[in-house]
Amino acid sequence: QVQLVESGGGLVQPGGSLRLSCAASGFTLDYYAIGWFRQAPGKEREGVSCISSSDGSTYYADSVKGRFTISRDNAKNTVYLQMNSLKPEDTAVYYCATAAGSSCGGGYDYWGQGTQVTVSS
């Protein structure tokens, strides 16, 4: 059974950090680009970051550039999103998803259930 499970969300103060994990089971992440998305209440889902499998290229939304870092550990079948200097506007449910292929920018096939990130004092 193909499954993606996000973890690592929580409540953090502005300026704090969190590391989200996206663990895969039932398939190997090695061959797929992985994206992180988020959806805040009342807003549409937006792409946050993506990492390709072909050459490890990474992409970030302008709103998170310089603060978030995506990485992958193929041995652990896991992708991470390190989030630093968090702001209240980063509050959202964060999802990971597998791309249809090895490069970012296409459609996404499998999605996790999401993990809540709340940035508040």
Side-chain angles (χ1 to χ4, degrees), residues 8-53:
L11 173 64
V12 63
Q13 292 186 342
S17 298
L18 286 173
R19 188 177 79 156
L20 305 184
S21 299
C22 172
S25 60
F27 71 105
T28 302
L29 282 178
D30 299 28
Y31 307 114
Y32 301 96
I34 304 296
W36 281 98
F37 298 80
R38 67 186 181 186
Q39 188 166 21
K43 295 188 176 181
E44 292 191 355
R45 185 176 62 200
E46 63 171 338
V48 174
S49 183
C50 182
I51 184 167
S52 74
S53 65

Side-chain angles (χ1 to χ4, degrees), residues 73-88:
D73 185 337
N74 288 340
K76 294 184 177 180
N77 220 25
T78 300
V79 172
Y80 303 98
L81 185 69
Q82 178 67 43
M83 308 187 296
N84 299 329
S85 302
L86 283 162
K87 304 175 181 180

Side-chain angles (χ1 to χ4, degrees), residues 6 22 43 56-57 59 83 88-89 103 116 121:
E6 302 95 337
C22 172
K43 295 188 176 181
S57 297
Y59 303 89
M83 308 187 296
E89 51 263 43
S103 300
Q116 175 71 47
S121 55

